[in-house]
Amino acid sequence: MSISHAHPLLLPLLVSLFFLPAVLGGNNFRTCNGSYENYRVNVETVKISPYPVTRSGNADITITGYTARISDGSVVELTIAKASAGDPKTSSIKTYNLCDKVRCPIRPGRFSFTLSKIFSNEELKGRIYVITVRIKDAKDTSMCVVFLCWVTDDGSTSLIRQSATMMELE
């Protein structure tokens, strides 16, 4: 049985295919653990606005979902990491008091919150970021979603679509 040397290339390819819908649509996301079962918040939509993000602008993220309950004292943690061939490299972690983003106490049902101007000037110089948004308290995590955000020079996604077409042909 021979050992293939192509395996190191397989991981970046699988990661890119996992995130490609998010790059193309700007509204696709996944839960951090792949299942809603372990979270009290069921996320319905993640919207990046404007999309795609341009280097001369910034972005807001709006998350809408449903919850049975969210603990008082919960925070929203935003992690921005540069996407790389290996592990993503964390660029920044920002923490917000959840009650500064939504009216508290949070009642069961539908809720929404927006994180505004999420990128620093330095981050706007990048290309592709893996973004993770969590709601957590001292004991556990109520929500965790992960998605990609593409920063372009002019707002064009033609390069992304061209890359997607090339990957489909291979």
Side-chain angles (χ1 to χ4, degrees):
M1 178 178 198
S2 67
I3 298 174
S4 172
H5 293 287
H7 285 85
L9 299 175
L10 187 58
L11 181 60
L13 177 62
L14 290 174
V15 169
S16 68
L17 291 174
F18 173 85
F19 285 116
L20 189 58
V23 172
L24 293 174
N27 193 28
N28 294 319
F29 63 92
R30 298 195 189 241
T31 59
C32 296
N33 68 3
S35 170
Y36 287 106
E37 294 176 16
N38 296 330
Y39 299 120
R40 291 188 301 271
V41 176
N42 184 357
V43 175
E44 184 178 64
T45 63
V46 173
K47 183 178 179 189
I48 304 167
S49 178
Y51 191 82
V53 180
T54 63
R55 292 183 198 288
S56 61
N58 211 315
D60 297 342
I61 298 172
T62 300
I63 296 178
T64 304
Y66 296 89
T67 185
R69 64 182 169 81
I70 297 178
S71 304
D72 290 342
S74 291
V75 297
V76 178
E77 182 181 89
L78 169 70
T79 304
I80 299 174
K82 279 189 177 182
S84 64
D87 292 329
K89 308 236 186 282
T90 299
S91 176
S92 65
I93 299 173
K94 300 168 183 118
T95 304
Y96 310 87
N97 182 326
L98 183 60
C99 290
D100 291 343
K101 301 297 174 188
V102 296
R103 185 176 174 183
C104 287
I106 299 170
R107 307 247 185 255
R110 188 170 194 190
F111 81 106
S112 179
F113 65 93
T114 299
L115 304 175
S116 298
K117 297 181 175 138
I118 65 162
F119 292 112
S120 68
N121 288 336
E122 187 64 31
E123 289 165 340
L124 285 170
K125 295 175 184 175
R127 284 282 187 203
I128 302 174
Y129 289 96
V130 177
I131 299 179
T132 306
V133 181
R134 291 179 177 84
I135 295 178
K136 55 191 219 176
D137 61 22
K139 295 181 183 177
D140 66 355
T141 300
S142 302
M143 179 201 88
C144 187
V145 292
V146 62
F147 53 94
L148 278 192
C149 185
W150 183 270
V151 178
T152 67
D153 290 325
D154 62 0
S156 167
T157 57
S158 60
L159 176 64
I160 302 167
R161 289 200 172 101
Q162 182 181 16
S163 297
T165 302
M166 290 173 65
M167 289 175 68
E168 289 172 357
L169 294 175
E170 291 179 352

